[in-house]
Amino acid sequence: DDGFALAKTTPPAIVLGRRLADSTIRTHYNVTVVAIKRPGEGFTYAAEDTVLSPEDTIIVSGTVHDTERFTDLA
């Protein structure tokens, strides 16, 4: 609605192993990691101290353009 999107993707290599608070996801890509799913677990809310790994699935939100640009990195 109104150009806003949610997308399910894997985290791109540029953010792996870093706390979300220390990543540039929000400032550089204009998207917010809303939720994370680890293998064998359900989705949980992402927090500032969440560290992403290659096996994770994430939900990001932002404008359609920004969300598509971010998911293209994966």
Side-chain angles (χ1 to χ4, degrees):
D1 191 12
D2 297 327
F4 182 79
L6 290 169
K8 179 175 139 182
T9 188
T10 55
I14 58 171
V15 299
L16 296 177
R18 298 172 63 191
R19 291 178 346 122
L20 287 177
D22 299 329
S23 73
T24 60
I25 292 174
R26 222 181 222 172
T27 56
H28 189 72
Y29 297 102
N30 297 320
V31 297
T32 301
V33 177
V34 179
I36 180 172
K37 182 182 182 311
R38 306 230 184 243
E41 299 178 14
F43 275 99
T44 60
Y45 289 108
E48 290 181 343
D49 61 343
T50 299
V51 177
L52 299 175
S53 61
E55 302 83 22
D56 295 337
T57 300
I58 57 175
I59 302 290
V60 296
S61 66
T63 66
V64 172
H65 175 265
D66 291 335
T67 304
E68 288 176 348
R69 184 174 66 121
F70 182 78
T71 58
D72 286 344
L73 297 173

